[in-house]
Structure formats: structure tokens, C-alpha cells
Amino acid sequence: MFAEILRSLLAPAPTRMADPDARLALAALLVRVAKTDGLYAVEEVERIEKILMTRNGLDAFEAAALRAQAEDFESQAPDTVRFTRALKAAVPLEDRAGLVEALWSVALADGQRDASEDQQMRLLANLLGLSDVESAQARQKADRA
């Protein structure tokens, strides 16, 4: 299964992913953001699972299983640029601000705002087709939640 998803991520022009594949890819991106600062805190793991439950209608066990699968997938996934390009193809523009808000929520979950996370989030928002202003609005929403 991972091999098929990775092949689609490495394609020159990724095709729209099937819902289960997109779910896994989005979960893996959440994991990638959580690991950006070199720490993968319990708060980040819990936030990822909460996001997966909310976005995908999963129970706690299913969210934990998807997160574990995403951790494995993230470690095998290509560079963030290609990875995000594939996600951009899978997620409609109107849903991307919500995705960036979820990503910010994970980045902020450990209570520390790291320069490497800020840089990663700026890159991700840009690659997902959102402006710095839209990313800042998503961060503010995530910070209030």
C-alpha cells in the first residue's frame, strides 16, 4: 500500500488521491510538522490523534492506528515539496486553510514556537497555495483553539 502511495507522490504530476490515501498522506504531513523541531512530544501526538478523529470521524483507536501508520509512511515519504504537491492535488483549495490550521495546531501543541517550525509552516502554506496572511489567520485560529 505504501509503495503505491509513494509512487503517486513521486509522479511528475500527482493525480488526485483516493480518500484513504489522502487521509494517510495528510496524517503523515501532521507527523512531519510535529517532528520539525527535533522533538515529537506527547502533546503533539495527542493533537494529531484529535485532529484525525475530528477530520475523519474516527474513534480514538482508529485515530491512533492511522497516526502509527502515518509515522511509518512519513519516514518513507519523499521530500516535503513533492509530498505537499501531491496533497495539494488531493485537497480542494477551500479545504486547505483548514489543513494549515490543523498543521499549526500540531506545531503549537508542545507550547514552544520554534523557528524551524515557523519556516516549515511558511513553506507548507505557500506550497498549498495559501498566502502568508492566510497562514497567519490559520495560526491565530489554531492558537485560540
Side-chain angles (χ1 to χ4, degrees):
M1 174 172 115
F2 286 158
E4 194 173 306
I5 298 170
L6 286 170
R7 249 191 317 281
S8 76
L9 289 175
L10 293 170
T15 56
R16 190 170 179 89
M17 291 186 224
D19 187 55
D21 292 346
R23 230 179 7 182
L24 178 59
L26 295 173
L29 187 58
L30 293 169
V31 170
R32 184 162 285 182
V33 166
K35 292 180 174 182
T36 298
D37 63 0
L39 302 171
Y40 190 39
V42 171
E43 297 88 356
E44 292 168 323
V45 170
E46 291 171 351
R47 184 66 51 92
I48 290 168
E49 290 179 3
K50 182 178 177 184
I51 290 167
L52 296 176
M53 288 169 50
T54 302
R55 288 184 64 88
N56 301 306
L58 303 176
D59 64 28
F61 178 77
E62 292 168 326
L66 179 56
R67 180 202 33 85
Q69 195 177 15
E71 290 170 348
D72 188 36
F73 181 57
E74 185 275 334
S75 70
Q76 299 175 45
D79 65 272
T80 301
V81 174
R82 286 190 205 183
F83 192 52
T84 309
R85 188 181 327 144
L87 292 171
K88 183 178 179 182
V91 179
L93 179 60
E94 60 272 11
D95 295 335
R96 291 187 211 143
L99 174 59
V100 172
E101 182 181 339
L103 292 166
W104 269 116
S105 178
V106 170
L108 300 172
D110 61 5
Q112 300 175 17
R113 191 150 168 214
D114 184 81
S116 61
E117 289 173 325
D118 284 348
Q119 182 180 11
Q120 176 81 328
M121 287 304 304
R122 188 167 192 196
L123 172 67
L124 292 173
N126 184 288
L127 291 172
L128 288 169
L130 299 177
S131 68
D132 287 342
V133 171
E134 291 167 314
S135 179
Q137 290 169 337
R139 179 183 40 78
Q140 290 168 350
K141 281 184 180 179
D143 205 22
R144 286 192 298 260

